[in-house]
Amino acid sequence: MPYSSKDTGFVCLLCHHHDYQPHFPNVRGDDSGNLKIVDCSACGHRQLSHPVYDLALYEKDLQVFSSIEECGTPLKKFIENSWLQAQRRVERLLTDRLLPQDQQVAPACLDIGGGYGFFSHLLKQAEPEAEVEMLDPSEGRIATGKKLIEEYDEAPTQVRYMAGLLDSIFAENHQETYDVVTLWHVVEHVPEPIQLVADAWRLVKPGGWLSIEVPNANDELLELSPAFANYSYMIEHLSYFSPDMLSKLIELGFVRKVGERWPDKAKIGEKTEFTRCK
């Protein structure tokens, strides 16, 4: 039977319903033991209850170092994997030809929550004429990323870095500025994912693309491997999106942005969804 928020204070981050079904009892990084993973009884959205959002987790890079401490992964190996993931994302973006090739002005791309900046750096290398910018809340991570990039490539990065959050002020000042806006493993971290996506839509030029990647809540390993589930359900992730719920999130964000119906979608994948702005 569903549990009521009269006792728990639960509110779904997508539909704001107040009843839930328990899904998983443990949350990595929760020293209190009071947090759990639940499914909304109305829309099925999976999330942390209660959501814990602390910018210090990112300013101090605690998610990275807690994973290294708990799993024993060497820092060098973690960085190498992050670099490979960035290469994969650049290849996917270029394969799907999301950057315009036939316009007179240079294409513009913004990576939101870009962390160490590996994706932005590699995209700039692959498309030297493109204007590539990165927005991240942590000045410390930006500085660390620049040092790591110089170690890997023995040259400073040519990306424009901005320390800050995507909020209504940033969205207002950068309306319809970018041909491509990317959110790689970002929306699962925020307490207001619909507003984040709505603000991201405001940044996209007409005919441009918004690309979002998240961990897949339908990953079979979550059911097959208790160790993988214990690792994946963490205090930093407030939401866990299936492909259907990711599509729903993008639709809700678009409707909030423009106040009209959802456009036709294109190029939907298990982890990455590309949607084009009208």
Side-chain angles (χ1 to χ4, degrees):
M1 61 178 293
Y3 291 72
S4 171
S5 69
K6 292 180 181 179
D7 300 321
T8 66
F10 169 79
V11 178
C12 176
L13 296 178
L14 290 194
C15 75
H16 305 119
H17 193 71
H18 294 286
D19 295 334
Y20 70 89
Q21 297 281 357
H23 180 79
F24 196 78
N26 305 319
V27 177
R28 182 162 63 88
D30 172 30
D31 295 330
S32 71
N34 295 325
L35 301 177
K36 54 188 174 291
I37 306 300
V38 303
D39 293 336
C40 174
S41 297
C43 72
H45 177 58
R46 186 167 300 161
Q47 68 177 67
L48 182 68
S49 184
H50 305 296
V52 177
Y53 183 65
D54 184 359
L55 279 174
L57 291 171
Y58 310 106
E59 181 59 42
K60 299 177 182 179
D61 231 358
L62 295 182
Q63 181 181 355
V64 170
F65 289 105
S66 66
S67 296
I68 290 172
E69 181 179 347
E70 293 183 27
C71 302
T73 305
L75 178 59
K76 181 180 180 181
K77 193 69 175 178
F78 184 91
I79 297 302
E80 290 175 351
N81 183 65
S82 298
W83 191 271
L84 290 173
Q85 291 292 335
Q87 289 178 324
R88 173 185 60 79
R89 290 164 182 156
V90 170
E91 290 170 3
R92 175 76 187 278
L93 187 147
L94 297 179
T95 298
D96 284 282
R97 301 180 62 84
L98 300 192
L99 283 177
Q101 304 294 324
D102 55 354
Q103 61 184 28
Q104 293 183 345
V105 297
C109 178
L110 174 67
D111 184 29
I112 299 169
Y116 294 144
F118 295 164
F119 167 78
S120 297
H121 172 71
L122 292 172
L123 178 61
K124 181 65 176 179
Q125 280 192 333
E127 295 285 335
E129 300 303 318
E131 296 179 1
V132 181
E133 300 179 355
M134 190 194 87
L135 178 68
D136 192 85
S138 171
E139 293 183 358
R141 284 201 301 186
I142 291 173
T144 299
K146 288 180 179 179
K147 292 179 181 179
L148 290 170
I149 289 169
E150 289 186 10
E151 291 176 9
Y152 267 78
D153 279 3
E154 300 181 352
T157 183
Q158 302 301 312
V159 173
R160 180 190 176 214
Y161 296 92
M162 297 176 284
L165 298 170
L166 172 57
D167 53 20
S168 58
I169 297 175
F170 186 95
E172 180 69 27
N173 291 336
H174 297 81
Q175 286 194 70
E176 299 186 356
T177 297
Y178 302 99
D179 297 285
V180 177
V181 173
T182 58
L183 289 156
W184 305 125
H185 287 232
V186 173
V187 295
E188 69 269 22
H189 290 267
V190 301
E192 297 184 14
I194 298 174
Q195 188 58 52
L196 177 72
V197 173
D199 287 335
W201 271 120
R202 295 175 65 189
L203 306 175
V204 182
K205 293 178 182 179
W209 295 89
L210 172 63
S211 177
I212 298 176
E213 180 178 285
V214 297
N216 188 352
N218 287 351
D219 193 323
E220 292 180 350
L221 278 177
L222 291 169
E223 301 295 331
L224 297 174
S225 170
F228 183 73
N230 281 319
Y231 175 80
S232 298
Y233 292 126
M234 64 185 73
I235 195 170
E236 294 90 353
H237 286 183
L238 311 190
S239 291
Y240 298 85
F241 295 97
S242 67
D244 287 344
M245 294 309 297
L246 177 58
S247 295
K248 184 65 175 177
L249 170 66
I250 295 173
E251 177 180 352
L252 290 170
F254 181 86
V255 171
R256 179 176 293 188
K257 175 237 177 187
V258 299
E260 58 185 64
R261 72 172 182 85
W262 175 233
D264 294 335
K265 294 191 290 183
K267 298 186 178 69
I268 300 175
E270 272 294 295
K271 291 181 65 179
T272 307
E273 180 152 345
F274 297 115
T275 55
R276 193 162 200 169
C277 190
K278 294 198 302 183

